Amino acid sequence: MVRPTARVRDCDRSRIRHMFQMADEAEEEGRDVVRLEVGEPDFDTPEHVTEAAFEAARDGATHYTSNAGLPELREAISDTLADEYGVDHAADEVLVTTGGMEALHLAVLASVERGEELLIPSPGWSNYWTHARLADATPVEVPMEAPAFQLDADRVIEAMGPDTGAVMLCTPSNPTGQVFDEREVRAVVEAAADHDVYVVADEVYGRLTYDRDPRGVASYTGGPDHVLTVGSCSKSYAMTGWRVGWLAADEAMIAETTKVREATTACAPSVAQHAAIEALTGPQEPFDEMVDEFEERRDYVADRIDDADGVTAPTPEGAFYAFVTPETDEASLPLAERLCTEEGVVLAPGDGFGEAGEGRLRLSFANSMDRLEEGLDRLESGL
């Protein structure tokens, strides 16, 4: 019998996508479901960005670009990192990727040797485990303390050893919505340098920081060359379908990872790169309004959960997720399936983000206020 390789077989299916499919099937049956499972802005890409893409296509910008991306886009990303996040990288230290997912995949491939460990503070995004396995590396979950799941540097540092290749830091966090404390981040970054360990900074939600100014992990210690910064237009600029992200690192690392792209995606879509240039350099008011709307929804969800019986959640400080702890003995996946089937509200099971998430649910507030109200009503009913 023909079988895929062990590295492919060892990759688990996303719990988020499992619930996504359940919701699709329910809608095909004509049922009304409130979808709070997927992390995707419910806003359309602003018109000036879409128009830039149309203009580029009409002008013939439909061919391959450099493997590393359009020079104008690399420059725009360099400026954005410096101006918004305090991270200094020249344009030739930026690689444009096909979404943040490819940037993360390349970062892990380039920083973790075969047989080494990728440390994942958990709960963490499920794809990190997949990235590690596809690199023939070992994902190692480092549980953070419930219920807030803030970064605990001591736990991460204690897990570092001779087999550690890299540490994954995602702030603001998916799935918890927490923004990691500067002192804890600094301690991890400095310890990683002492251990010859890379830090992969997943900052795709960086612009969606509500109670403080956004900062990049690499900015906390002067931009060390062992920090690889991942960003994307998807979440912060309502451009999930355009598939434009980036990896920023020292020039040698970017040169090496660019070689891999020659055999994988070649380059990010040319028209989408022109859209990304406009998103980063054009009018920012539509994006600022989107952030304000997310913050308003954050406040509403936090207040509803505070007032609800049978459920708690730390107040999200960024991204658009609340990590909910129901007062129930049900495991995450059966609970999420029951809520979808019986109540018509769809959330992501917490165990899809590591063992530390078992018994919890991730609620995405990237939905309209009226649907959030209906979804929270159904959640309370189901619990």
Side-chain angles (χ1 to χ4, degrees), residues 300-316:
Y300 173 75
V301 168
D303 289 343
R304 279 290 304 267
I305 292 175
D306 283 345
D307 293 339
D309 293 327
V311 62
T312 59
T315 299

Side-chain angles (χ1 to χ4, degrees), residues 98-122:
T98 308
M101 290 185 188
E102 186 193 19
L104 286 165
H105 181 47
L106 291 173
V108 174
L109 282 176
S111 63
V112 186
E113 293 281 3
R114 181 182 294 110
E116 285 189 333
E117 299 172 344
L118 174 66
L119 302 187
I120 306 170
S122 70

Side-chain angles (χ1 to χ4, degrees), residues 119 121 128 151 156 167-171 180 184-185 188-189 199-203 217:
L119 302 187
Y128 302 148
L151 180 66
V156 177
V167 177
M168 184 70 68
L169 294 182
C170 178
T171 180
F180 292 159
E184 302 298 311
V185 172
V188 170
V189 173
V199 174
V200 179
D202 181 353
E203 298 175 4
V217 168

